[in-house]
Amino acid sequence: MYSTKTYNESIELLNSLQSNASTLDQIRKHRKEADLRSIPEMIQCFKRIGYNPVDFNRLNAIHISGTKGKGSTSAFVERILRGFGKTITNQSIPVIDKNNNVHNHTSENELFEKQEKFKTGLFTSPHMIEVRERIRLDGVPISKDLFTKYFFQVWEKFHNDSDLRSPLNTSEKVLGKNENILNHNVEHDEKLISRTEKPIIPSYFRFLTLLAFHVFVQEGVSVAVIETGIGGEYDSTNILVSPTVCGITSIGLDHVDILGNSIPEIALQKAGIMKKGSVAISAPDQDSEAIKVFEKVAEERHCEFKIAKTLDQYIQHTNSLKLHAPEIGIAGEHQVINAALAVELCFQWMKRSKWSAKHPEAIQDTDIENTGKYLPEWVLEGLKKTKWPGRSHSFIPPKHPNIKWFLDGAHTKDSMNACVQWFLKETNNSKTPCILIFSPAHGRNKPELIKELIQVVNKRPFLKIIFCNKITFNPETTNKNIAHNPKELSELLDSWKNVSLENTCKNTTQNHVNLTSDLENISLLNSINDAVEYVYTNYGKQTPLNHKENNNQMIPEKEIQFNVLVTGSLHLVGGVLDVTNTPIW
C-alpha cells in the first residue's frame, strides 16, 4: 500500500492524525462520553494490531502518572535500571558441558552461558526535536529505520482494506475477559463501541501509544517505563492489566477542565493506574489531600501503597567517611523529589521481578525496607548520569560563547515557580544582561504563568522579552500537531500588560525592562527560528552594547555575557534545541 515507506513519509502520515490539541478540545466538550469510551476504544485499537491487554504483562511495566515531574522521574527510573542491567549482564554464568563438567572460572577455552540480555524501554511525551525520542530502547531513541518499520506495521492495520474488513470477535464485549481486571470504576457498556461502527482511527497520541507498546513487545524489553499522557484513569496508556509497579509524582492543579478543579479530584484521576496485586509509590512531598485519595483507591483496588523515602534518608559515605547526598544529573532542587521516587520505584520493581531473584548479589548491600542504608553503585551512577533535555537545561553554543541559554519547559504555576528559582540560583550575578523567550503551551493560564515570570524580570536585568509562535521550519522535526492560534501573540501581549499593571515593578533600574511602558523592549516574532536569529544577531558578539549599569559606567567588553531564558512550553524548548543545533543525546 505504501511502496516507499520512508521515515519522512511516516512522519507525514503521523502528523495527519487528529492532533492532541483537537483531541483535548473534544474531551472538554464531551468529557463524560469521552471518558467512558477511552479505554474500550484503546482495547479495540490494540486488538486491531493483534494484542490483548494481558499480552503486555510481559513488559514488567513501571507505570507513572502525576502532575509534576513525570518525565524526569521516568528518565531517572530508566537510567537506574539500565545501570542494573549492565551490572548483571557483565557477569558470566557457569554452565555444565556435555561431559557434565562445571565451568566456574573464566578462560578462553571454557564455555559460558550467555546471559539473557537486559533491555529497557521508555515511553514519554512530548518529544523535544524528533518524535522517535518518545520511544527509547536502552535509553536511546529508536532509529529512523526501526521507527519506520514498526510505524507501517501498525499504520497498515488501520488503513489496509482487508484488515478493516476483518471483524473482531463479535461475541465478546468490548473489554472481553479483561473487563474486571482493569479495575475501572465505570461499567463499560458494549453499546459504547458498536461492532457495526466504522473502525476507529487512533489520534496522534493514541497511535504513538500503540506503536510504543508494539515496539517494546517485538524488541523483547525486560522492563518498560511508561509515562501517562494526561490523567491516569482514562489515559491511553492505562490498558496495562498488571503493571509491576506504579508511581505517582507530585499532584498539582493542571488540566482542571479535564481532570477536575481540586487536588482530590485530580488525585483520583491519577490514581486510576493502580491495579490489583501491584504496588503504587507516591512522591515523598505529596499533598496530604492526595495521599488520602491514594490510600482509599489502593484499598478499593487491592493495591499496596507506599510513600517514597527522601534521598537524604539513604546515607552515603565517601572513602573518608564523610556524609554526602547522592548526586543527580538533572539540575533543579525540585528534581531531588523526582529522583527519590525513582529510586523507590526501582527497588520495588526489583523486589517483584525475576531479575533480583536471579541476581541477588546485585542488591545484597541494600536493605530496601529500612532507611540509613547504602545505595548500590549502579543506583548512584544512574542518578548522576540521568539526562533529560529541556528541563533545567543550560548550554553555551560554540559559535556564540558569550551567550548562555537556560531552557525549561515549565507550563504550570508550580513548575514555572521551580523554573524561576532554578534560573535565579544559576544566574547569581545579577548584573549579567538577560533575554526572555516565552510562549506558553496551548490552553494554559497565561496570567498565572506571567505572575511567576515577573519575579525573574524584577530580579535580573532583562534587556528584551520575546514572544514567538511555536513554529520551526525543519521538515523532519516540525510537529504539525501543535495548536496555532493566529491571535496567540497579541493575546499574550495583552495578558503581559494586564498582569504588569497589577504588579508594579519595584527597584526597576535602567537595565530592566519596564513592564508597563517600555513595550518597545517586547518583540512579537513569527517563529522560533526568528527568535533565535534575533538573539544571535543582536547579542551574539563580544562587543559592548549601548547599555549602562546603575553607576552609568559601561560594562567592560570582557565581561559582556547574555543569559537567555526560554520557558512556557516543551514544544518551545524543543524548537530552540532544534534551531540551535544543540545535541541532546
Side-chain angles (χ1 to χ4, degrees), residues 51-202:
Y51 296 106
N52 282 300
V54 291
D55 295 331
F56 302 120
N57 290 350
R58 74 184 76 175
L59 298 181
N60 305 305
I62 298 178
H63 202 189
I64 298 175
S65 70
T67 305
K68 296 173 282 186
K70 290 182 300 178
S72 300
T73 301
S74 299
F76 278 122
V77 169
E78 188 281 329
R79 184 59 185 83
I80 292 171
L81 289 179
R82 190 161 20 115
F84 168 71
K86 289 181 180 179
T87 298
I88 61 176
T89 54
N90 282 340
Q91 303 164 358
S92 296
I93 300 178
V95 296
I96 301 176
D97 63 20
K98 62 182 180 180
N99 297 318
N100 290 323
N101 295 316
V102 179
H103 299 269
N104 291 313
H105 304 286
T106 304
S107 167
E108 226 176 79
N109 299 320
E110 290 178 339
L111 302 174
F112 281 84
E113 180 188 32
K114 226 179 182 180
Q115 288 206 38
E116 180 182 355
K117 178 173 171 54
F118 188 94
K119 181 185 290 188
T120 64
L122 176 63
F123 177 54
T124 59
S125 60
H127 56 277
M128 289 290 100
I129 298 177
E130 293 191 59
V131 68
R132 57 195 179 89
E133 297 165 22
R134 298 187 184 213
I135 305 172
R136 280 173 246 180
L137 298 172
D138 288 331
V140 179
I142 60 174
S143 67
K144 291 182 179 181
D145 287 344
L146 210 57
F147 183 94
T148 304
K149 169 187 172 181
Y150 288 124
F151 175 90
F152 282 103
Q153 287 180 4
V154 175
W155 181 269
E156 291 181 349
K157 290 295 183 181
F158 292 95
H159 295 83
N160 186 299
D161 290 342
S162 61
D163 283 325
L164 292 180
R165 284 196 299 267
S166 175
L168 298 173
N169 186 345
T170 56
S171 65
E172 293 181 290
K173 286 189 175 183
V174 171
L175 294 183
K177 63 182 179 181
N178 302 312
E179 186 169 19
N180 296 324
I181 301 178
L182 285 176
N183 292 320
H184 287 279
N185 295 328
V186 295
E187 181 178 354
H188 297 291
D189 191 316
E190 63 181 326
K191 293 179 182 179
L192 289 173
I193 310 294
S194 170
R195 296 302 184 183
T196 61
E197 285 185 14
K198 182 180 179 180
I200 297 165
I201 302 299

Side-chain angles (χ1 to χ4, degrees), residues 79-85 87-88 91 309 311 313-317 324-327 342-344 346-348 350 356 359-370 372-385:
R79 184 59 185 83
I80 292 171
L81 289 179
R82 190 161 20 115
F84 168 71
T87 298
I88 61 176
Q91 303 164 358
K309 296 185 284 290
L311 279 187
Q313 289 179 277
Y314 296 102
I315 299 174
Q316 301 303 316
H317 293 79
H324 71 96
E327 295 181 56
V343 169
E344 192 71 34
C346 291
F347 285 163
Q348 293 297 330
M350 293 184 64
S356 57
H359 305 278
E361 71 284 349
I363 56 170
Q364 62 185 357
D365 293 329
T366 304
D367 182 349
I368 63 178
E369 294 298 332
N370 298 294
K373 300 296 181 182
Y374 294 103
L375 288 174
E377 191 60 37
W378 49 268
V379 174
L380 296 175
E381 181 185 29
L383 290 173
K384 185 177 180 178
K385 293 188 175 181

Side-chain angles (χ1 to χ4, degrees), residues 194-256:
S194 170
R195 296 302 184 183
T196 61
E197 285 185 14
K198 182 180 179 180
I200 297 165
I201 302 299
S203 61
Y204 187 88
F205 183 77
R206 281 186 175 185
F207 188 92
L208 289 173
T209 303
L210 294 164
L211 180 59
F213 280 58
H214 178 55
V215 169
F216 295 155
V217 170
Q218 296 303 312
E219 291 294 312
V221 301
S222 310
V223 56
V225 183
I226 308 291
E227 177 196 2
T228 60
I230 293 176
E233 179 78 36
Y234 304 107
D235 187 73
S236 300
T237 64
N238 201 29
I239 49 77
L240 293 166
V241 176
S242 299
T244 306
V245 184
C246 303
I248 307 178
T249 65
S250 305
I251 300 297
L253 295 175
D254 191 22
H255 293 294
V256 293

Side-chain angles (χ1 to χ4, degrees), residues 551-565:
N551 59 6
N552 292 324
Q553 297 297 314
M554 295 295 292
I555 298 178
E557 180 176 347
K558 65 179 181 180
E559 294 183 12
I560 286 286
Q561 184 182 7
F562 300 95
N563 294 322
V564 183
L565 174 62

